[in-house]
Amino acid sequence: MKLRFAFALLLAAQVSPREEPVVRIGIERSVAGFTLSSDAPYLLDGRPVRSARFTTIVALASAEGEVRPDELVRRMAIELDRETVLVRPMDSRIAVEAGPAPLEVDGNAYRGSVEVLGGGNAFTVVNELPLEEYLLGVVPNELAPDPFSELEALKAQAIAARTYIVRNLGQFAEDGYDICATDQCQVYRGMDSEHALATRAVEETRGVVATYDGEPINALYSSTCGGRTENSENVFGEALPYLVSTVCHFEHPTPQPFASSASYPDWEAGLLGIAGVETFGDAGRFLGLGDVGEPASDDIDSWAAFIRGRFFPDVPAVSDRVFLEEQGILRPAGTNRREEVLVRLLTGKNAFEWRPVRLVSWDGEVLKARVGSRIQDFRLRSDAAIFRRVGDVRLPVERGAWIGGESMEVRLAGETPGDDALPEIAALVYRDNPAGEAADRYSPVARWQLHRTRAELDAAFAPLGIGGLDDIVVLERGPSMRVVRAEIRGARGVESIRGPRLRTLLGLRDSLVYIDAERNREGELLGMRFFGNGWGHGVGLCQVGAYGMALDGASAEHILKTYYRGIELERVF
């Protein structure tokens, strides 16, 4: 049964309501200059203008004669509508009130008002607006609604983001604002990034935050947890009772079977069957070259002259055969079967338009997949050629099952019957989902690999001052199997570091990683391969996991109480 977001149940421990806070966001920090504009007049320091260019200038304390360096002072220069220039002390604070149209900072539109803070040789631009309006520019940037278009997941993200700002309001008070606009805090990009579904998620959860013992929690979240989140003390050094390791799933997905009436003995036969190619003449027609005929004989040199002349007529070659061997179409040794040559010819000419997608769901009729940043529906033909990819091998299959999250490449049929019909898949290649049943299996980085050469490893660990790297030994792992502590062994010493620093030094997506050292016969380190899961710090809400849970029917409440243990949801304004 699909759970619903019911505020009557959520507000059992409701705190006393208060007014909605106003948030000040540092949208530009330490910038040398910027332009503030609008489609309608706005008030800058009480003056009506449409455009203001902020820069700094060097001014003289005295107007003439010789001057000392300390008499040169930096000033704030504001060019108004390209007509006049206001000069102010560099430590000025300039208030800007929007008119009928939003304010734009270097072309990016923002709700609310703006204040410009000068300091040193640079500016800080602060956007001030009500908290709920601020969230409209946060939620779609933290969980993109186009590929992750589940309302309950976006509602969970909205509550987490609201909780984060309520708890951390004033974090940057010494700098003149409450919170930053980058992933150091929460990503905020203003009006241009707003999305209708994310806006709905914000509106339907208005004022609701996650609390523990009546206080807003530190609502940490990251993109992809790799199947399990981590205890907060193992990443951030502080144990919090609601930020404990948890398995990332809602319910075990039911594999959905598929079947095809098409049967092929191997990948090559399948490709030729898809293309309807049996001869070189068929290949010419498939490539749009018309009837190219057939080779005069089955002699390999005859094939080489024919293929180079018909399919590469504008490419000069000293030797037709050597040219085609370099292109991988003919093999320099062994047999060259006609079917294999035809396949290598078609693939070498990029004749097959494979479209990469990631499976969202399959119900036996409609295949829903993420294509780039959007979700699209397809229909799988009953005679589609289906292949399972294992490494670089593609195996033809007639039946099987998918659970969602599989990486796929699809080839569409040439024509779609009817204007309103779904695009039809004529051929499909899929990989089994390495993330298994985890709710974050829809993430492209649920599993990943990375290679570092010896030179790259030495450069990465140079800040430790231990010389050339010899080995990395994991000393401790957390419940999620993330690295908690590792020993870095070098030619001149040994250093013990925490998992997050290991991740930073090596540029890893996550500290949930396993390491394979590559050595020569003498045991010297040549490089390392890293096999990892997830992306981010892995503490708290798993954003793609929330999406996977919502797909399986979980509500925002259930999602949040899975990742933040022992919490309550309360409306605070």
Side-chain angles (χ1 to χ4, degrees):
M1 182 181 78
K2 187 168 183 178
L3 302 174
R4 296 295 180 186
F5 194 87
F7 283 116
L9 297 176
L10 301 181
L11 307 181
Q14 180 169 308
V15 298
S16 299
R18 55 184 174 83
E19 292 185 0
E20 176 184 358
V22 172
V23 182
R24 289 171 58 85
I25 312 103
I27 56 176
E28 297 283 357
R29 298 185 290 174
S30 299
V31 294
F34 66 94
T35 298
L36 189 59
S37 60
S38 179
D39 290 337
Y42 61 88
L43 293 179
L44 186 149
D45 221 15
R47 297 168 179 253
V49 296
R50 283 179 177 267
S51 175
R53 175 65 186 168
F54 283 75
T55 57
T56 62
I57 60 172
V58 175
L60 296 174
S62 58
E64 59 182 60
E66 295 182 0
V67 297
R68 298 188 309 275
D70 60 3
E71 292 183 285
L72 297 174
V73 294
R74 191 166 292 275
R75 300 291 189 190
M76 181 185 298
I78 313 167
E79 184 182 2
L80 305 178
D81 294 330
R82 298 186 178 181
E83 294 176 352
T84 59
V85 176
L86 291 181
V87 178
R88 294 285 187 268
M90 200 58 212
D91 59 356
S92 298
R93 301 170 72 110
I94 307 298
V96 184
E97 295 294 331
L103 295 170
E104 297 182 13
V105 178
D106 285 341
N108 298 314
Y110 294 91
R111 297 173 180 271
S113 61
V114 163
E115 186 176 27
V116 181
L117 313 179
N121 300 329
F123 300 96
T124 294
V125 184
V126 179
N127 180 205
E128 183 175 300
L129 73 171
L131 185 147
E132 295 296 309
E133 292 184 18
Y134 157 73
L135 291 176
L136 301 181
V138 170
V139 174
N141 294 298
E142 288 291 356
L143 185 62
D146 284 327
F148 304 115
S149 54
E150 285 294 313
L151 179 61
E152 292 301 311
L154 289 164
K155 288 162 85 171
Q157 177 64 68
I159 294 171
R162 184 182 294 108
T163 305
Y164 183 91
I165 184 61
V166 168
R167 179 184 173 97
N168 291 287
L169 205 64
Q171 182 179 357
F172 292 84
E174 291 184 358
D175 299 318
Y177 52 92
D178 294 313
I179 205 82
C180 66
T182 68
D183 57 6
Q184 180 186 352
C185 304
Q186 299 187 124
V187 178
Y188 169 68
R189 293 186 178 136
M191 290 183 67
D192 296 334
S193 66
E194 293 178 11
H195 188 284
L197 192 61
T199 295
R200 179 181 170 190
V202 172
E203 292 173 345
E204 292 189 11
T205 62
R206 178 179 173 82
V208 176
V209 300
T211 65
Y212 189 89
D213 282 345
E215 296 295 328
I217 68 170
N218 190 11
L220 299 177
Y221 51 84
S222 61
S223 167
T224 306
C225 67
R228 181 163 186 163
T229 65
E230 185 53 73
N231 292 341
S232 60
E233 66 269 23
N234 290 335
V235 178
F236 297 107
E238 179 185 7
L240 294 171
Y242 49 83
L243 291 179
V244 296
S245 180
T246 186
V247 176
C248 178
H249 75 85
F250 172 58
E251 59 183 26
H252 295 294
T254 302
Q256 296 299 313
F258 66 82
S260 173
S261 61
S263 177
Y264 297 102
D266 53 35
W267 167 246
E268 290 79 9
L271 279 185
L272 295 180
I274 295 166
V277 170
E278 296 181 1
T279 66
F280 285 102
D282 293 337
R285 284 184 287 273
F286 184 73
L287 292 169
L289 301 176
D291 187 1
V292 298
E294 298 295 329
S297 73
D298 283 339
D299 176 77
I300 193 64
D301 289 324
S302 176
W303 278 18
F306 174 83
I307 295 171
R308 211 280 304 161
R310 297 295 194 278
F311 293 93
F312 301 90
D314 299 325
V315 181
V318 175
S319 166
D320 295 332
R321 184 167 178 174
V322 170
F323 169 76
L324 293 173
E325 287 173 353
E326 290 177 344
Q327 300 303 309
I329 296 172
L330 295 180
R331 288 178 176 168
T335 60
N336 281 281
R337 292 174 47 241
R338 179 183 295 264
E339 293 78 9
E340 293 176 345
V341 172
L342 287 170
V343 167
R344 293 196 292 268
L345 173 61
L346 294 179
T347 54
K349 299 283 283 186
N350 293 317
F352 294 99
E353 299 176 12
W354 294 101
R355 182 180 302 188
V357 305
R358 186 168 293 274
L359 180 65
V360 174
S361 64
W362 159 249
D363 63 7
E365 293 186 5
V366 176
L367 187 150
K368 188 182 295 291
R370 188 168 79 244
V371 184
S373 62
R374 61 191 178 88
I375 303 296
Q376 186 172 351
D377 290 344
F378 301 90
R379 200 169 295 282
L380 184 65
R381 280 178 27 172
S382 60
D383 62 346
I386 302 177
F387 303 89
R388 175 173 172 251
R389 183 167 181 173
V390 182
D392 290 329
V393 179
R394 297 165 179 84
L395 304 171
V397 294
E398 296 178 32
R399 64 189 70 253
W402 297 313
I403 62 172
E406 287 84 355
S407 174
M408 295 179 167
E409 293 176 296
V410 301
R411 176 175 167 79
L412 301 183
E415 296 182 1
T416 300
D419 294 337
D420 298 329
L422 296 177
E424 289 191 335
I425 295 175
L428 181 152
V429 181
Y430 74 93
R431 290 181 183 269
D432 289 334
N433 193 329
E437 298 178 344
D440 67 346
R441 64 186 181 273
Y442 301 96
S443 171
V445 290
R447 298 290 186 273
W448 49 268
Q449 294 183 33
L450 180 70
H451 183 265
R452 290 281 186 260
T453 65
R454 172 63 185 271
E456 291 171 332
L457 291 168
D458 287 347
F461 292 113
L464 300 183
I466 58 174
L469 181 69
D470 180 62
D471 204 359
I472 301 174
V473 178
V474 176
L475 302 176
E476 181 184 356
R477 291 185 182 271
S480 72
M481 300 309 292
R482 282 176 171 78
V483 176
V484 176
R485 289 188 307 116
E487 188 174 82
I488 314 303
R489 298 177 180 176
R492 299 198 305 270
V494 176
E495 187 80 18
S496 178
I497 63 174
R498 293 181 59 80
R501 192 174 186 203
L502 177 70
R503 175 191 170 203
T504 299
L505 289 172
L506 287 168
L508 305 176
R509 290 191 174 101
D510 202 301
S511 56
L512 205 176
V513 66
Y514 300 89
I515 305 167
D516 179 54
E518 301 167 345
R519 301 181 184 275
N520 62 17
R521 185 178 300 178
E522 288 72 33
E524 297 171 331
L525 185 67
L526 302 177
M528 286 183 170
R529 191 169 296 277
F530 301 87
F531 299 84
N533 303 358
W535 191 4
H537 51 67
V539 176
L541 174 71
C542 176
Q543 292 166 299
V544 181
Y547 167 75
M549 290 181 66
L551 273 176
D552 289 338
S555 69
E557 178 184 17
H558 190 105
I559 292 168
L560 291 166
K561 289 186 175 181
T562 295
Y563 294 110
Y564 304 125
R565 293 303 182 90
I567 65 162
E568 298 297 332
L569 300 184
E570 307 180 23
R571 183 181 288 123
V572 295
F573 57 83

